[in-house]
Amino acid sequence: MMLPCFLAFSQEAESLGNKPEMTVVARAEYSSIEEYHHLGNSSLYFLLDGNFTERLSYSASFHLLNADPKSLYENTLHSDSVNWLDWLLLSYDFGNFQFSLGKDYIRIGTWESDGYDFDMYFENASMVWGILPTYQWGGMLSWTPSESFSLLGQVTTSPYGERPFASGKYAFSLEALTSFDWYNGIYSLNHIDEFIFAMGHDFSFGKWDLLWDSFTELRSGYHGYNSLKVTYTPVEQWSFAIKAGHENQLFPDFLEELDINKLYGSLVINWMPIEQLRIHALAEYDNILETPLFNIGVTWKMSL
């Protein structure tokens, strides 16, 4: 029901001169991981963005297909698992402030969490991205006093609750973002059943880019992950990325396997012969599976 309603609103906005932006993203790949018939992160998305008025905007992401489409629709009314609706947001701007209400991702301060799911690889993603359902219902207030700084507070339902709001469990997030010519930073303090501190650093030097993500659960001992990604883009059509990381015993109350101490390294090559098309190849090795993993696939983005 939500998609037809949003399209109706979009048609009304278009009649007022605010044409919505609609994008279809299709990804198909073969992964050496046997789960989900070797289809990995194969998926189909429909993205919608637009404005009702100068101050009131909307954004939505519909995850229509993945390698296990049955689960997307079975879990529609769940908050402890992902489903076909990633986000559905109404946002109102007033001065340097913005208030958003609806379904959104929990604002964990890493660049991995801030990226699009259809750009991720199962083989070198953290458990935070791969297992924790971070798309939740709630509200957010952000303040942007300058082009280089933003601060936001967010309250959402919790992935530790089975149903949105019914469980009475909530997640709380405070996030800051900085932006400069050569550096972008993102930092957060979260409470998702327990306190978490996360930060992401993005350093750019010409054709080189360095990303460092850090996620730490604030309890006794070290529990979290760190990843480092170096990307070289010699020309616009080609990029080469090396990513390495370490994870240790994340979310003991959410995951059944508690004794996780993972080290991994990966290489990703992307080729974009045209702007809408990306072809990728990945190789990864970690000390848990102790066998090389491979992934090759294609992603197509089409604006409607």
Side-chain angles (χ1 to χ4, degrees), residues 64-182:
L64 302 178
L65 288 174
N66 68 359
D68 183 25
K70 183 180 178 181
S71 66
L72 284 177
Y73 298 94
E74 282 183 340
N75 298 325
T76 295
L77 299 178
H78 281 252
S79 56
D80 59 354
S81 55
V82 297
N83 57 57
W84 59 273
L85 181 62
D86 285 344
W87 68 79
L88 181 66
L89 280 174
L90 283 175
S91 300
Y92 185 77
D93 293 294
F94 51 103
N96 294 330
F97 294 88
Q98 183 186 75
F99 177 70
S100 299
L101 192 65
K103 192 176 186 183
D104 196 3
Y105 70 94
I106 296 177
R107 297 293 173 141
I108 297 171
T110 63
W111 292 113
E112 180 184 73
S113 298
D114 194 62
Y116 288 106
D117 287 351
F118 49 74
D119 287 330
M120 293 296 298
Y121 306 94
F122 287 174
E123 293 81 0
N124 68 2
S126 72
M127 287 185 290
V128 176
W129 181 86
I131 296 177
L132 190 69
T134 56
Y135 293 111
Q136 299 292 331
W137 294 92
M140 180 176 69
L141 179 65
S142 62
W143 174 52
T144 307
S146 68
E147 294 182 355
S148 60
F149 179 77
S150 293
L151 182 67
L152 60 88
Q154 182 192 54
V155 180
T156 68
T157 53
S158 171
Y160 286 87
E162 181 180 358
R163 305 279 183 174
F165 304 107
S167 66
K169 295 183 178 181
Y170 297 92
F172 303 89
S173 303
L174 180 66
E175 184 180 68
L177 300 99
T178 59
S179 178
F180 303 98
D181 290 338
W182 58 275

Side-chain angles (χ1 to χ4, degrees), residues 119-268:
D119 287 330
M120 293 296 298
Y121 306 94
F122 287 174
E123 293 81 0
N124 68 2
S126 72
M127 287 185 290
V128 176
W129 181 86
I131 296 177
L132 190 69
T134 56
Y135 293 111
Q136 299 292 331
W137 294 92
M140 180 176 69
L141 179 65
S142 62
W143 174 52
T144 307
S146 68
E147 294 182 355
S148 60
F149 179 77
S150 293
L151 182 67
L152 60 88
Q154 182 192 54
V155 180
T156 68
T157 53
S158 171
Y160 286 87
E162 181 180 358
R163 305 279 183 174
F165 304 107
S167 66
K169 295 183 178 181
Y170 297 92
F172 303 89
S173 303
L174 180 66
E175 184 180 68
L177 300 99
T178 59
S179 178
F180 303 98
D181 290 338
W182 58 275
Y183 172 76
N184 292 294
I186 181 171
Y187 326 89
S188 74
L189 180 64
N190 311 84
H191 187 271
I192 310 173
D193 199 59
E194 58 184 303
F195 283 103
I196 294 164
F197 177 69
M199 57 182 179
H201 308 279
D202 181 6
F203 301 90
S204 297
F205 306 99
K207 297 178 180 180
W208 294 87
D209 187 79
L210 186 149
L211 281 178
W212 171 33
D213 278 343
S214 179
F215 178 101
T216 305
E217 296 178 6
L218 301 179
R219 50 191 171 99
S220 60
Y222 170 67
H223 306 274
Y225 81 84
N226 277 271
S227 67
L228 188 67
K229 178 182 176 183
V230 179
T231 303
Y232 175 58
T233 308
V235 292
E236 187 175 353
Q237 293 82 8
W238 286 92
S239 68
F240 304 85
I242 297 174
K243 182 178 179 181
H246 173 253
E247 296 183 276
N248 183 50
Q249 296 185 351
L250 287 162
F251 302 110
D253 299 325
F254 200 86
L255 301 175
E256 294 180 2
E257 298 181 15
L258 303 183
D259 189 15
I260 298 173
N261 192 2
K262 179 180 177 181
L263 287 167
Y264 69 90
S266 64
L267 170 67
V268 180

